[in-house]
Amino acid sequence: MDRGTVGSTNRGRLQVDVRTEGPSEVVTPVGELDHHTADLLREPLEGAVDQGRARLVVDCSRLEFCDSTGLNVLLGARLKAEAAGGAVHLAGMLPVVARVFEITGADAVFTVHASLEDALRP
């Protein structure tokens, strides 16, 4: 499902694909995740947990940028998923995005996988 973009000035900056693979909801943000586009990722993550899909895998392999607002979206999804008995797994982070997680220490609170395939393994 393509979530599109918000705001005319931000058209095309972030697209989010969502699909189910086994027990996991795979969410793939493509582009830039920042305060203008954060809701495009927040909505499918929260929606998945609300529908009982609490094992979330975020495929970050096409995420080109993530600011503090984007990081907060992922942290919020993590809390919601854990409250529902699940977790958020991050996969395939590009170095520029991984650096944000390293600097903030957020990499210590997520399960981080080198690839989507690794994240989907039981």
Side-chain angles (χ1 to χ4, degrees):
M1 158 171 82
D2 181 352
R3 301 293 298 181
T5 58
V6 292
S8 60
T9 60
N10 300 304
R11 187 157 302 287
R13 288 189 46 212
L14 185 73
Q15 294 182 339
V16 179
D17 178 67
V18 180
R19 69 184 185 281
T20 301
E21 288 200 25
S24 302
E25 196 76 354
V26 179
V27 181
T28 306
V30 179
E32 299 178 5
L33 177 57
D34 60 26
H35 70 280
H36 294 292
T37 61
D39 284 340
L40 293 171
L41 184 59
R42 180 182 293 113
E43 291 171 5
L45 290 171
E46 290 181 358
V49 176
D50 290 344
Q51 294 174 12
R53 313 249 347 135
R55 187 181 195 282
L56 307 175
V57 175
V58 181
D59 178 2
C60 299
S61 64
R62 297 176 61 199
L63 185 61
E64 300 166 1
F65 176 80
C66 180
D67 72 359
S68 61
T69 305
L71 181 59
N72 282 328
V73 166
L74 293 168
L75 289 167
R78 176 186 157 266
L79 292 175
K80 190 167 187 168
E82 287 180 354
V88 173
H89 298 259
L90 304 178
M93 280 195 278
L94 298 175
V96 67
V97 174
R99 183 74 178 132
V100 172
F101 284 78
E102 291 167 12
I103 289 170
T104 61
D107 58 339
V109 299
F110 287 99
T111 303
V112 180
H113 303 270
S115 70
L116 178 60
E117 293 76 23
D118 289 344
L120 292 174
R121 285 191 189 111

